[in-house]
Each structure stands twice: as C-alpha cells, then as structure tokens.
Amino acid sequence: MEQTKSISLPSLNEELTALGHRLLCQGRFHDARRLALMMNEPFIMYPLNFTKFYVNSRAFAELPPHDFKNYFERRETLIIGDSHVACLFGDERAFRHSGMDAEVVFIGGATITGFGRRESTLATYRRVNHYIKTFKPSNIVFKFGQVDVDLGWYYRRVVDDQPDNPASHFQTIIDRYVESILGLPSHTRQVVCGINLPSVPSPEQAAEYTSRIITENITDDALYTVYRSKLIRILPSIERRTEMTLEFNRQLKEKCTRSALDYFDYTDIFIDSATGILDARYAGTADHHYRTTAEDQANCVGRLRNILD
C-alpha cells in the first residue's frame, strides 16, 4: 500500500484540478466526471486514491469550485447501491453499446440500515440525495441489502447475540428501506433491484470471509476467537443461505408492489436450475461478489433497459 503523502490544501487543489483538466483533454470524460463528483462530495468518510497519493476526502468540502467541476451532465438513469452494483453494471461498454444513458455509483459497505438513517457512518442517505441533485435523473435504480443479508445478519447473530429469526429482521429493514426511498424527491421513477444470490459455496470459506468482516473492530483476541468459533458453528449451508436471500427478495418485492415501486432482480439469470443455488461459473472463494464477464453485464444492462423502457 502506498504511503500517505502530506500535502497542503492549496497543493491539493492544484493537483486535483490539473488531473481533471488532463482527463478532459485526453477525452476521458467519464473519469473526469467521476473525479468531479468526488470533489463535490463532502460525505465520503474513507480515503480515495487519486493519481499516486491518498487524500482525505473530508477536505473536499472546503475546496473552492473549479471549471472542470462543472462538467456534469444530466443523466437519464442513476444506478446506486453497494459494491455489488459493480458486478452487474460495472462495465461502461455495456451501457454504450445499449445506448443507455446511465451513471453507476456504488458506496462500498453501504447497508439498508444506514440508508434508513439520515445520519450514518457512510452518510448513505445524504449521499444519495447529493447524487440525485447532481445528475437529475429521470430513473433511479436502488440496489442495497446485500451487506445486510450476507454480513450484517451474522453480526447480529454472533456479536449482538440476536435470535435466529431472519424473516422478521428482513421485514423490519425492508420497511425502513422502502420508506426512505419514498422520502426522496418524487419527480424521478424509482426502481428497486433485489440482492444477489450468496456466492461462496463452501461454509468454511464463507465463515472465514464473514468473520474477518464482522469482527474487524474487535481488538480483544480472546473475544475474536469466541466470535469466530460461534460463526463457524452457526453459519448455514449454501442452500440455506440461498433460501434466506430468496426470502429477502420475496419480501422486498411484496413491499415494493404495495408501495407502487417497480421491482426486479437477476435471480433467474444466475441461478443453477438443477441445484437451486448460484451457478458455479459466478461463484467466488475470497469474498461474496459475483464473478461476471462483459457478456453477463451486457445481459444485465439489456434487461434493465427493457424494464425502464
């Protein structure tokens, strides 16, 4: 990992402004827009890697405007969610080939729980509002919930020692999720995408990944060992984890229908009909993200376009 470089705010202004202009001159309009978006974004709470140094993005809130920061276009569609958005919509070529005018923004680690609060660690709700004001989309596609089901649920079970009743918990957070969506500006069409199927088949590997994430703030070695052992003991099979995902999506779809929101998911594309779990081609081992190809993502974009047309 690169060492953090200490630079003054004026120097930071010059570095980022120069980078933005270079991107525009090179015709890298998408990258320039991304950089401009980040410089306009005062809510990000983790470092961003620009060029060859790390900067703390909290300083962005104090930056004066620059010419290239105005390089924002209205986008027909805004797709926003957690990092799993990139597995389905991360290939910009798929949008260009489909003729779809969309901006894809993902907030790593974002949860429904955080989205449902006006203030949270990642400031998700405020950031969503910021992106809406920035791009003024006609359509917004929301894809949150993966972190809550794949990780947050097990934090509740292991660290908070909550009872094993996922369906009830899903109902609670889904109600908050949809209510938060309905509280956003209403001049846009709001569409909700269900979560992905669990993608780490091995219970041992799933437990290893999950325990690393949910105990990252545990500094007591003995307590870490207790939590990790408990997780290994209670983590269900891939079949049961798949059932939980399908239950979450079922509840989410029902809530969206009652709330006059459009809902869709990609379960039928990625599931293995013979086994009832994720097709092995998309399964991972190191983390819980799909392994997708450019063709897979083109199929996802094509379905989304049909839904929005």
Side-chain angles (χ1 to χ4, degrees):
M1 181 174 178
E2 299 171 69
Q3 295 296 313
T4 300
K5 179 179 178 180
S6 177
I7 52 179
S8 67
L9 192 57
S11 175
L12 175 61
N13 291 346
E14 294 170 6
E15 292 268 11
L16 295 180
T17 303
L19 173 59
H21 282 298
R22 286 200 304 274
L23 292 173
L24 288 177
C25 291
Q26 294 168 7
R28 294 170 61 185
F29 303 125
H30 182 75
D31 292 334
R33 186 167 58 249
R34 289 283 189 189
L35 177 59
L37 178 63
M38 294 303 184
M39 289 185 69
N40 269 312
E41 168 62 278
F43 308 124
I44 302 175
M45 298 302 178
Y46 47 85
L48 296 164
N49 187 3
F50 288 120
T51 61
K52 295 191 180 298
F53 54 83
Y54 284 81
V55 296
N56 187 328
S57 58
R58 292 180 184 178
F60 292 162
E62 304 173 31
L63 294 174
H66 302 298
D67 290 339
F68 94 94
K69 285 177 64 178
N70 295 321
Y71 184 77
F72 284 114
E73 300 172 349
R74 183 184 179 279
R75 310 295 276 180
E76 184 67 22
T77 299
L78 171 64
I79 303 169
I80 187 164
D82 55 41
S83 59
H84 294 264
V85 165
C87 304
L88 307 181
F89 306 113
D91 190 342
E92 190 181 0
R93 294 170 299 178
F95 291 98
R96 289 203 304 269
H97 294 159
S98 72
M100 189 174 174
D101 177 34
E103 187 73 21
V104 180
V105 177
F106 67 84
I107 305 171
T111 63
I112 285 178
T113 304
F115 181 69
R117 298 174 181 150
R118 294 302 183 269
E119 298 294 334
S120 64
T121 303
L122 295 177
T124 304
Y125 190 83
R126 287 199 293 159
R127 291 170 70 181
V128 170
N129 270 284
H130 171 77
Y131 297 134
I132 292 172
K133 291 176 183 176
T134 298
F135 296 112
K136 303 175 180 63
S138 299
N139 309 299
I140 306 179
V141 179
F142 297 93
K143 185 170 172 48
F144 293 100
Q146 197 80 45
V147 180
D148 300 84
V149 175
D150 286 359
L151 300 172
W153 169 247
Y154 297 103
Y155 183 92
R156 289 175 57 84
R157 290 279 288 120
V158 172
V159 179
D160 292 343
D161 200 27
Q162 295 294 310
D164 186 12
N165 189 2
S168 176
H169 175 62
F170 294 166
Q171 181 177 352
T172 299
I173 62 174
I174 286 171
D175 285 347
R176 293 174 186 165
Y177 183 27
V178 172
E179 288 166 7
S180 297
I181 290 173
L182 295 175
L184 292 167
S186 59
H187 59 274
T188 57
R189 179 185 178 186
Q190 296 161 324
V191 182
V192 179
C193 181
I195 66 173
N196 298 346
L197 297 168
S199 60
V200 183
S202 164
E204 293 78 14
Q205 290 174 330
E208 180 64 31
Y209 172 74
T210 304
S211 67
R212 188 170 68 250
I213 302 300
I214 69 173
T215 61
E216 62 183 355
N217 294 321
I218 304 299
T219 57
D220 185 309
D221 290 342
L223 192 57
Y224 169 82
T225 301
V226 170
Y227 287 155
R228 187 174 183 278
S229 299
K230 181 177 180 181
L231 178 65
I232 292 172
R233 188 171 68 252
I234 69 168
L235 192 79
S237 66
I238 184 66
E239 289 79 11
R240 174 55 185 150
R241 283 180 278 138
T242 300
E243 290 174 1
M244 290 169 61
T245 293
L246 297 177
E247 171 63 18
F248 178 90
N249 282 346
R250 183 191 67 77
Q251 289 194 30
L252 181 58
K253 181 178 181 179
E254 288 183 355
K255 179 67 176 181
C256 288
T257 300
R258 293 195 302 270
S259 303
L261 294 175
D262 293 317
Y263 169 89
F264 74 105
D265 61 51
Y266 292 104
T267 298
D268 60 309
I269 292 180
F270 292 101
I271 199 167
D272 183 333
S273 58
T275 63
I277 61 174
L278 180 69
D279 189 308
R281 291 175 295 173
Y282 310 113
T285 56
D287 67 28
H288 62 159
H289 294 84
Y290 281 1
R291 296 187 298 178
T292 53
T293 64
E295 182 179 359
D296 297 325
Q297 297 205 21
N299 290 336
C300 291
V301 171
R303 171 173 291 191
L304 177 59
R305 180 171 183 172
N306 290 337
I307 290 169
L308 297 178
D309 285 346

